[in-house]
Amino acid sequence: MRLLVTGAAGFIGSNYVCGLLSGLIPAPPDVRITVLDKLTYAGNPANLSPALNDPRLTFVKGDIADDALLEKLVPGHDALVNFAAESHVDRSIAGAQDFVHANVVGTHALLQAALDAELPRFVQVSTDEVYGSIAHGSWTEDSPLQPNSPYAATKAAADLLVSAFARTHGLNASITRCGNNYGPRQYPEKLIPLSLTRLLEGRRIPLYGDGLNVRHWIHVEDHCRAVQLVLEKGQPDTVYNVGGGTELTNRDLAGRLIDLCGSPAESFTYAPDRPGHDFRYSLDGERLRALGFAPRIGFEEGLADTIRWYRENRTWWDPSPAGT
Ligand code: NAD
């Protein structure tokens, strides 16, 4: 199987590709992978280092919105998994142009190239943030899309394009929607790596507002297993929530990180709230569970492993002389 994986120099995509090639995630025995990544600030070829010398891996630097490149690259593949995106909410609030380019124009370019090349399978990696915010209960895949941040709006637009290409053109495409991921190699602007790196530097964790916003956490390895399951067994024109994670407030999360790092109890501080800040995310994962999905990594164990990784790989997140 020839797999084209976009955005795989980033956090989740690199865990997916390294997982497939190491056997951590079961893959077809003849799997060969092409990675297409623009190497933005969030993309780092070193993220793929466990697999870079594997003859089954080919790395191509480029933009998913580059139609001419896609026309050459896509034919001959059996499936495409799209992880490529601008992914940080705060950056999308500061300016959303790059988000429209990567998440909307880029996804459209991939869909058109997949259609032109008669690609047999397409998986779009999306997010629970497209549903907005939910005070009680959990979203099913039929819940309305009510994105609040510019990031979430561009991901929702991409999801609608994927569905339109499936319905109008018969593209065999599925969508995954996952909650917050954590694990190794996550760029330290997101809550868990930001908090960990601050604590490891003896600094405080910044919490937005009153710290009571609730997030749904899943280990990146479990998310990658879910994506592979959807690739292999998902139905066309179908969305799959990736549920089964751990829900907790940001303040509770900060408390656990502080304990696990052995930092002083008061190692957090409150910051002015993010505009349009979603209060709570919660996913109903029944549809994917029916395909056989269950997360394997418990939150305590996954968090402890993640802390270990950031402790042991300081030069990855702190290239200054202090980190070397
Ligand atoms: P990331 O920011 O770590 O990585 C994104 C990767 O995409 C980077 O390697 C970057 O270089 C690449 N990229 C960006 N624009 C590109 C373009 N135009 N062409 C080619 N490559 C481009 O993101 P992540 O956390 O690994 O997220 C991957 C996907 O999963 C995203 O689509 C995101 O919306 C989704 N997702 C993330 C989370 C999470 O908690 N991180 C949760 C649910 C869904």
Side-chain angles (χ1 to χ4, degrees):
M1 174 188 242
R2 287 196 62 190
L3 199 53
L4 178 57
V5 186
T6 58
F11 166 48
I12 308 175
S14 66
N15 277 282
Y16 176 71
V17 165
C18 295
L20 285 178
L21 293 178
S22 69
L24 193 65
I25 302 167
D30 60 345
V31 73
R32 281 179 292 154
I33 299 178
T34 309
V35 167
L36 172 62
D37 197 295
K38 189 178 174 181
L39 298 181
T40 66
Y41 78 95
N44 181 351
N47 288 344
L48 288 164
S49 60
L52 271 182
N53 293 325
D54 192 310
R56 297 169 295 169
L57 180 72
T58 306
F59 181 84
V60 177
K61 183 178 176 203
D63 190 329
I64 58 166
D66 182 342
D67 299 311
L69 171 64
L70 296 182
E71 199 182 324
K72 282 188 253 148
L73 194 66
V74 176
H77 289 91
D78 301 303
L80 190 159
V81 182
N82 181 27
F83 291 95
E86 288 293 337
S87 69
H88 188 45
V89 172
D90 288 347
R91 286 179 188 257
S92 80
I93 294 170
Q97 199 169 6
D98 289 348
F99 289 73
V100 173
H101 175 82
N103 304 359
V104 186
V105 178
T107 301
H108 173 261
L110 290 175
L111 289 164
Q112 188 60 49
L115 197 65
D116 293 344
E118 298 180 12
L119 198 77
R121 189 81 180 104
F122 190 107
V123 174
Q124 171 73 2
V125 179
S126 186
T127 164
D128 59 357
E129 297 189 35
V130 297
Y131 296 120
S133 182
I134 189 166
H136 307 286
S138 301
W139 292 298
T140 70
E141 291 82 352
D142 297 325
S143 299
L145 301 186
Q146 296 180 319
N148 291 316
S149 71
Y151 159 66
T154 58
K155 292 296 288 185
D159 286 9
L160 293 176
L161 281 169
V162 174
S163 299
F165 270 67
R167 287 174 203 160
T168 305
H169 300 296
L171 188 72
N172 181 2
S174 307
I175 297 170
T176 62
R177 293 192 184 133
C178 191
N180 286 42
N181 282 218
Y182 69 99
R185 303 196 285 273
Q186 186 170 30
Y187 194 79
E189 63 188 356
K190 305 278 170 68
L191 183 56
I192 288 188
L194 175 77
S195 303
L196 287 181
T197 53
R198 290 273 169 103
L199 292 176
L200 295 177
E201 289 172 332
R203 298 164 68 200
R204 289 171 189 250
I205 300 175
L207 290 176
Y208 279 131
D210 57 10
L212 293 180
N213 299 59
V214 177
R215 295 294 179 261
H216 179 251
W217 293 98
I218 188 163
H219 194 275
V220 64
E221 213 176 285
D222 281 322
H223 181 195
C224 292
R225 276 195 202 97
V227 169
Q228 185 61 13
L229 184 63
V230 170
L231 175 69
E232 290 175 4
K233 296 197 180 152
Q235 295 299 304
D237 187 19
T238 305
V239 175
Y240 294 89
N241 287 344
V242 183
T246 299
E247 266 184 44
L248 75 174
T249 66
N250 291 342
R251 206 156 74 185
D252 287 345
L253 173 68
R256 291 193 194 204
L257 294 172
I258 287 167
D259 280 352
L260 285 165
C261 287
S263 302
E266 63 282 5
S267 301
F268 66 93
T269 179
Y270 293 107
D273 208 358
R274 168 193 271 169
H277 201 181
D278 292 332
F279 176 66
R280 176 173 174 263
Y281 303 133
S282 179
L283 288 170
D284 177 323
E286 186 49 43
R287 185 177 286 171
L288 193 58
R289 209 167 19 247
L291 281 192
F293 176 71
R296 293 188 192 165
I297 303 183
F299 192 60
E300 294 296 328
E301 173 202 352
L303 215 49
D305 280 351
T306 304
I307 293 173
R308 195 170 313 123
W309 191 87
Y310 280 87
R311 271 194 207 282
E312 289 173 0
N313 292 276
R314 189 164 179 137
T315 49
W316 182 90
W317 55 269
D318 178 11
S320 75
T324 55

